Amino acid sequence: MIVHGARGWILRLLGEPDAPVDFADHDPARRAAQMGADGLARVLVAPSTPLGIEALPAAEAEPLLAAYHDVVAELPARFGGWAAVGLADPDPAAIEPLLDRGFAGACVAADALSDQTGYERLGAVLETLERRDAPLLVHPGAAAVAMPGQPSWWPAMTDYVAAMQAAWHAFAVWGRPAHPRLRVCFAMLAGLAPLHRERLVARGGRADSDPGVFLDTSSYGARAVDAVLREVGVDRLVHGSDRPVIPPSELSMGEAVEVALRERNPARLLAPTRTELAA
């Protein structure tokens, strides 16, 4: 929730330290100017799944998610968005009109797709995305309750990373067999899950290449991006950022990689015939 204190507005999240909020950072004109400075032609806005709104009881979540969708739909044309999915009672019928309104696909918290039960509960939603040729974005959800003395960086290095890794493996085990044509993008390089291939294989797992699975580069820099690129190939990575919270790192990996991350691969993720840029 957002509360007003002596130092101004504060964002208070489960498991996270209080963080100041500057509403000017979310001004569409200011974000559009930043988009130009970043060399982007179009940006897709994702719901902040760490807030946990999607996991609220349906009666509480629905008006908040509707407000999010209405605001994103009213943004200037250079902005697009990912639809949010209520998790208490996942409704595939609610996704259809959002896709008709121009939302690129749906964003779901990683912990909601970290096991077989999650894929069973959200199966009809994912089938709708698959049928409509729309992608899925998997993003970290809410952190666990903070422990006494926990440093501010703790959830970013533990809860979020672990959830993304679990979702990465769960998709390979349960998601892909159930949804063979679904394109999916894992935020924050799936918590570097692809780099654990050797450990996975040593424990009896498989690490098959999947051209329909993408990873966005949000929150990581050149060393991590280069390592994942060498593991999965340049065709699986797309540019992503945590703006306005954290600006993207300068990768400086050459023009060919920049074109792949900012143009060619986002077009393949969003739809084989579309050329929008994702961020």
Side-chain angles (χ1 to χ4, degrees), residues 19 31-32 48 53 68 73 82 85-86 94 96 121 170 182 187 189 195 203 251 253 259 266-267:
R31 293 294 297 276
S48 183
I53 292 173
Y68 160 75
W82 295 92
V85 178
E96 296 269 11
R121 293 191 67 251
L182 180 65
L189 296 177
L195 300 186
R203 297 304 191 276
L251 299 181
M253 300 177 70
V259 170

Side-chain angles (χ1 to χ4, degrees), residues 1-21 48 50-53 142-143 146 160:
M1 62 179 172
I2 295 179
V3 297
H4 194 271
R7 295 179 296 158
W9 291 101
I10 298 295
L11 175 63
R12 188 162 291 162
L13 290 180
L14 179 69
E16 290 265 21
D18 288 353
V21 177
S48 183
L51 292 174
I53 292 173
Y160 299 155

Side-chain angles (χ1 to χ4, degrees), residues 83-86 91-100 103 105-106 125 128-129 132:
V85 178
D91 182 8
I95 296 297
E96 296 269 11
L98 294 172
L99 298 177
D100 292 339
F103 283 83
V125 170
T128 299
L129 293 176
R132 292 291 302 266

Side-chain angles (χ1 to χ4, degrees), residues 34-227:
Q34 186 63 65
M35 187 193 315
D38 288 343
L40 300 172
R42 183 167 169 79
V43 163
L44 300 183
V45 179
S48 183
T49 47
L51 292 174
I53 292 173
E54 297 88 345
L56 291 172
E60 298 178 33
E62 288 172 2
L64 298 174
L65 298 182
Y68 160 75
H69 292 131
D70 289 344
V71 168
V72 171
E74 294 172 359
L75 291 173
R78 292 180 67 188
F79 295 92
W82 295 92
V85 178
L87 299 176
D89 185 19
D91 182 8
I95 296 297
E96 296 269 11
L98 294 172
L99 298 177
D100 292 339
R101 292 170 68 182
F103 283 83
C107 178
V108 175
D111 53 310
L113 290 173
S114 62
D115 55 25
Q116 184 175 9
T117 300
Y119 278 98
E120 291 172 351
R121 293 191 67 251
L122 286 160
V125 170
L126 302 183
E127 288 171 3
T128 299
L129 293 176
E130 194 173 19
R131 176 172 51 80
R132 292 291 302 266
D133 199 26
L136 167 72
L137 175 64
V138 180
H139 190 283
V145 176
M147 300 182 297
Q150 176 176 296
S152 62
W153 48 260
W154 191 266
M157 299 303 299
T158 57
D159 296 339
Y160 299 155
V161 171
M164 292 303 298
Q165 291 190 5
W168 169 268
H169 294 300
F171 181 78
V173 175
W174 296 292
R176 177 54 81 208
H179 306 283
R181 296 180 305 278
L182 180 65
R183 296 186 306 283
V184 57
C185 180
F186 289 85
M188 52 174 284
L189 296 177
L192 301 183
L195 300 186
H196 294 271
R197 178 182 63 83
E198 293 168 323
R199 183 175 176 83
L200 170 65
V201 173
R203 297 304 191 276
R206 296 180 58 180
D208 297 331
S209 179
D210 189 334
V213 172
F214 297 79
L215 302 102
D216 94 5
T217 60
S218 57
S219 81
Y220 284 101
R223 294 182 66 172
V225 172
D226 181 67

